[in-house]
Amino acid sequence: MNKKLVAALSGGAALVLALTGCSDDSNKKLNDWAKRFCDPAQAQFKQIQDANASMQTADDGSTDSKKVQQTDSQAFQKISDAYGSLAQSLKKAGAPPVDGGDADQKNAVKELNGLSSGYADLKKQVDGLDTKDKQKFADGLRSLSDGINKLNKKSEAAFKKLESGDVGKAMAGQKGCQTQKTTASPKKSS
């Protein structure tokens, strides 16, 4: 069950990391902006990825519910912190130098802060689950998957507009915004 939950969560984080396109060296201002955002963002993207990986490997089917709860709780906190830091990095980088860049940046910062709050709420929910009864705990984790799916959609929306066109190309040209290789791939369990 926990692996399905992590697979859903990993999908959302992967969307944040999935920046596409090529670098446009002719637009120095835009590339400089992308560097200001992507360089500090790299650590946050890695933190999200590592937190997802820790949840994915936390439950082999025989792991104690309390241990799974602790791992998930810590991971949700790390993801919450990472999204909050991404919002600050984006705020600090300023608006991208394109038409509508100011609005795109403000909307993305708002969405990232919302994601941070959402994952903090998931941490509280997982902390409140009953670990004494393994079935109740599994049911509780299952109920969290709706919240995770909503956050995945918000995660996708947070960067969608910002990553479009030349801004997306400039971001994709920066190492800090390029998709990181995952150490563990989502597994499905029945």
Side-chain angles (χ1 to χ4, degrees), residues 48-104:
I48 291 168
Q49 188 176 25
D50 290 349
N52 283 323
S54 73
M55 285 191 296
Q56 190 171 348
T57 59
D59 187 9
D60 63 7
S62 63
T63 308
D64 177 62
S65 297
K66 188 72 174 163
K67 176 71 175 151
V68 173
Q69 181 186 44
Q70 290 170 345
T71 300
D72 289 357
S73 178
Q74 290 170 356
F76 286 145
Q77 184 62 57
K78 287 178 182 178
I79 293 169
S80 174
D81 293 346
Y83 277 122
S85 293
L86 283 170
Q88 289 306 309
S89 293
L90 187 54
K91 203 182 235 185
K92 198 180 261 187
V98 295
D99 288 340
D102 189 50
D104 293 345

Side-chain angles (χ1 to χ4, degrees), residues 68-145:
V68 173
Q69 181 186 44
Q70 290 170 345
T71 300
D72 289 357
S73 178
Q74 290 170 356
F76 286 145
Q77 184 62 57
K78 287 178 182 178
I79 293 169
S80 174
D81 293 346
Y83 277 122
S85 293
L86 283 170
Q88 289 306 309
S89 293
L90 187 54
K91 203 182 235 185
K92 198 180 261 187
V98 295
D99 288 340
D102 189 50
D104 293 345
Q105 179 222 19
K106 285 179 181 170
N107 288 334
V109 167
K110 180 180 174 188
E111 290 298 322
L112 290 168
N113 282 324
L115 284 164
S116 178
S117 296
Y119 280 102
D121 187 53
L122 283 177
K123 179 198 180 310
K124 288 178 190 170
Q125 290 177 49
V126 81
D127 287 346
L129 294 178
D130 181 3
T131 58
K132 292 177 183 140
D133 181 331
K134 198 163 185 135
Q135 186 58 48
K136 275 186 178 177
F137 180 70
D139 290 344
L141 285 178
R142 224 179 267 101
S143 72
L144 291 180
S145 65

